[in-house]
Amino acid sequence: MSTTSQTPKEKFEAVFPSIVDELEATLKKTNISPEAIEWYKKSLVYNSVGGKANRGLSVVDTYRLLKGKTLEELSDDEYKRAAILGWCVELLQAYFLVADDMMDQSITRRGQPCWYRVPKVGNIAINDAFMLEAAIYILLKNHFKKEAYYVDLIELFHEVTFQTELGQLLDLLTAPEDEVDLSKFSLQKHSYIVTYKTAFYSFYLPVALAMYMAGISSEQDLKQANDILIPLGEYFQIQDDYLDVYGDPAVIGKIGTDIQDNKCSWVVNTALKIVTPEQRQILDENYGRKDAEKEKVVKKLFEELNIQQLYLDYEDKIVKELREKIAKVDESRGFKGSVLEAFLNKIYKRQK
């Protein structure tokens, strides 16, 4: 059983070294060179550890809530298996981020250089991304092959991966950094992008994995989870868009760049819906430019349009709707509305 001195995140991260050992053993069976094994281990640690681990921790938290247990009441085996599913989500995230950073030509990630910018890595990062994804299926096979829901886990990961890639495709086509065309933007496109690019893998996936492991995975229950977690995930991303412009950099830990990066964010799409022709021209001339003065012009326009109040109105409306939906959750087959309430409470009125 666990010791209470560890935080939930520390306990979760303590599982990762055994995952690295397991994946190393898999590589050794192929007789690949020691140099390649060391490279893979470095990629695993560099790209999977160091974030907030919210998605991975959500698998453990959801399983615990569904079973009605505290963290300490989970058996060692239960905890390890839930944590491995959590780490599979973190590996999926790592795969996306390594590729995403190359596509966006990003500079830093989690306070260190993006993987492709590490000396000697470069384009090898493309293959490293593929190998991060492949690790998911090695772990699922090693730990869940004998379970009746094994194929469900594999299909869920494949489906959510495809959904995320669809969201990324529309995002890349709609808002390339080097070509500003606000006529491509719309709140409808924004909704699709954030639903597919973020909500499925960040909100629905961790809960669905825990549901399969807990044996609460009827079609109706999975639909109940999906119908609340997807709009919740959209709300989370809209919050992110809002905080990028209006959040306190000292609290968030970074300076927002969405305006200069030509991001198809909720803030600019909301503005586009209500601008006058003159204001639209100001946006066309200043949005998406790598220029601090032009960014100030855009922010001033957002102030004039009272975007901050429109966001607060949206937040009140969506949270009321979500709470009403959660109150109507059918718990007769073992699913619990408290799982969804826990997610909502984590993000409601967050500042970072």
Side-chain angles (χ1 to χ4, degrees), residues 12-28 36-49 80 84 87 91 132 135 138-139 142-143:
F12 180 69
E13 287 180 337
V15 174
F16 193 67
S18 67
I19 288 174
V20 175
D21 291 345
E22 190 177 326
L23 293 167
E24 180 181 4
T26 302
L27 262 65
K28 280 182 175 171
I37 291 172
E38 287 309 308
W39 181 281
Y40 187 43
K41 284 166 68 178
K42 185 182 175 187
S43 166
L44 279 168
V45 174
Y46 194 95
N47 294 304
S48 307
V49 181
K80 176 91 185 276
I84 283 166
W87 276 111
L91 284 163
L132 289 165
I138 293 167
L139 293 170
N142 287 354
H143 296 274

Side-chain angles (χ1 to χ4, degrees), residues 18 20 53 58 66 136-137 144 157-158 165 215 220 223 273 277 304 340:
S18 67
V20 175
S58 293
L66 290 172
I136 296 164
Y137 300 100
F144 297 94
F157 269 103
H158 282 318
E165 289 159 354
Q220 299 96 309
K223 186 177 186 308
K273 250 185 97 174
E304 287 168 20
L340 306 169

Side-chain angles (χ1 to χ4, degrees), residues 103-107 175-180 244 255-263 283-298:
M103 288 180 246
D104 292 347
Q105 291 292 289
S106 299
I107 306 300
E177 275 194 53
D178 57 350
E179 182 196 322
V180 182
D244 187 271
I255 294 166
T257 59
D258 283 2
I259 294 171
Q260 289 197 32
D261 290 347
N262 190 37
K263 284 291 194 293
L283 271 182
D284 282 332
E285 289 168 1
N286 293 278
Y287 193 80
R289 308 304 199 281
K290 304 286 188 192
D291 181 326
E293 290 308 310
K294 291 192 171 186
E295 181 183 41
K296 282 180 191 167
V297 172
V298 173

Side-chain angles (χ1 to χ4, degrees), residues 164-194:
T164 309
E165 289 159 354
L166 287 175
Q168 174 73 342
L169 174 62
L170 189 59
D171 194 16
L172 291 166
L173 293 175
T174 304
E177 275 194 53
D178 57 350
E179 182 196 322
V180 182
D181 181 0
L182 297 182
S183 66
K184 288 183 176 179
F185 286 20
S186 69
L187 278 170
Q188 186 183 3
K189 269 189 185 172
H190 176 268
S191 179
Y192 185 98
I193 290 166
V194 302

Side-chain angles (χ1 to χ4, degrees), residues 284-333:
D284 282 332
E285 289 168 1
N286 293 278
Y287 193 80
R289 308 304 199 281
K290 304 286 188 192
D291 181 326
E293 290 308 310
K294 291 192 171 186
E295 181 183 41
K296 282 180 191 167
V297 172
V298 173
K299 283 190 172 182
K300 185 168 179 289
L301 179 59
F302 288 163
E303 293 295 332
E304 287 168 20
L305 295 168
N306 209 5
I307 299 292
Q308 206 161 0
Q309 188 57 50
L310 292 174
Y311 168 76
L312 295 172
D313 294 344
Y314 157 80
E315 183 172 53
D316 287 345
K317 180 172 175 284
I318 190 68
V319 170
K320 182 169 179 282
E321 287 171 7
L322 287 166
R323 290 216 160 111
E324 284 169 359
K325 281 185 182 177
I326 291 168
K328 291 176 186 166
V329 164
D330 176 5
E331 299 188 345
S332 62
R333 289 175 299 272

Side-chain angles (χ1 to χ4, degrees), residues 260-292:
Q260 289 197 32
D261 290 347
N262 190 37
K263 284 291 194 293
C264 180
S265 87
W266 180 88
V267 178
V268 71
N269 279 296
T270 300
L272 286 167
K273 250 185 97 174
I274 56 174
V275 286
T276 63
E278 292 78 18
Q279 290 170 327
R280 170 60 189 263
Q281 193 175 344
I282 291 170
L283 271 182
D284 282 332
E285 289 168 1
N286 293 278
Y287 193 80
R289 308 304 199 281
K290 304 286 188 192
D291 181 326

